[in-house]
């Protein structure tokens, strides 16, 4: 919990600062986070377990770092979240593309709070 509070504090501090205060590398921080996410997903065998099951393409190393197709990115995020929740041993219904986004996020957050 302390680690989460520290991350929230850091995130809020970065949000309050302008680009000049964060340094020249701040613009690339999101790309580093995305590569870290991909490494962790690969360790969990997301390609074999999630992508093949849903007939999806692998994520690029900048998939969530650049806003390209918000609807597609949101669905991929929800699919990943549902898979990770199930991987953690909690039953969770796989969201569909036509589901209400607010309801899907509410369900994901509710399930995560139950952890």
């Amino acid at each position: 919990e302390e680690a989460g509070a520290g991350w929230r504090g850091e995130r809020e501090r970065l949000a309050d600062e302008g680009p000049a205060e964060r340094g020249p590398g701040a613009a690339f921080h999101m790309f580093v986070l995305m590569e870290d996410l991909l490494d962790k997903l690969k360790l969990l065998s997301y390609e074999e377990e999630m992508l093949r099951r849903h007939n999806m393409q692998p994520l690029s190393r900048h998939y969530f770092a650049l806003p390209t197709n918000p609807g597609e990115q949101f669905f991929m995020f929800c699919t990943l979240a549902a898979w990770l929740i199930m991987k953690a041993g909690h039953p969770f219904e796989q969201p569909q593309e036509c589901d209400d986004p607010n309801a899907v996020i509410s369900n994901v957050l509710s399930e995560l709070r139950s952890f």
Side-chain angles (χ1 to χ4, degrees):
E1 193 170 309
E2 288 179 8
W7 168 244
R8 277 192 296 275
E10 177 69 9
R11 186 176 58 202
E12 289 168 4
R13 185 186 65 77
L14 289 174
D16 291 341
E17 294 179 351
E21 291 85 14
R22 289 185 274 165
F28 301 101
H29 183 68
M30 196 56 59
F31 294 95
V32 173
L33 289 175
M34 185 61 208
E35 286 190 37
D36 188 40
L37 170 68
L38 273 179
D39 289 342
K40 291 175 181 177
L41 288 172
K42 287 178 183 179
L43 287 173
L44 292 171
S45 304
Y46 96 106
E47 292 165 323
E48 293 83 18
E49 294 182 21
M50 195 208 72
L51 294 179
R52 288 192 185 142
R53 180 177 177 198
H54 298 289
N55 198 25
M56 296 177 154
Q57 296 294 316
L59 299 176
S60 68
R61 54 190 191 120
H62 53 79
Y63 186 79
F64 290 118
L66 298 172
T68 54
N69 184 342
E72 177 186 300
Q73 288 172 311
F74 178 76
F75 181 67
M76 178 59 84
F77 169 78
C78 293
T79 302
L80 278 170
W83 176 72
L84 288 168
I85 290 169
M86 289 186 286
K87 186 103 171 140
H90 290 245
F92 194 81
E93 188 174 327
Q94 182 65 43
Q96 303 298 314
E97 278 190 272
C98 59
D99 290 347
D100 175 35
N102 292 320
V104 172
I105 289 299
S106 178
N107 291 341
V108 167
L109 290 174
S110 176
E111 191 61 40
L112 292 176
R113 284 185 192 107
S114 75
F115 276 47

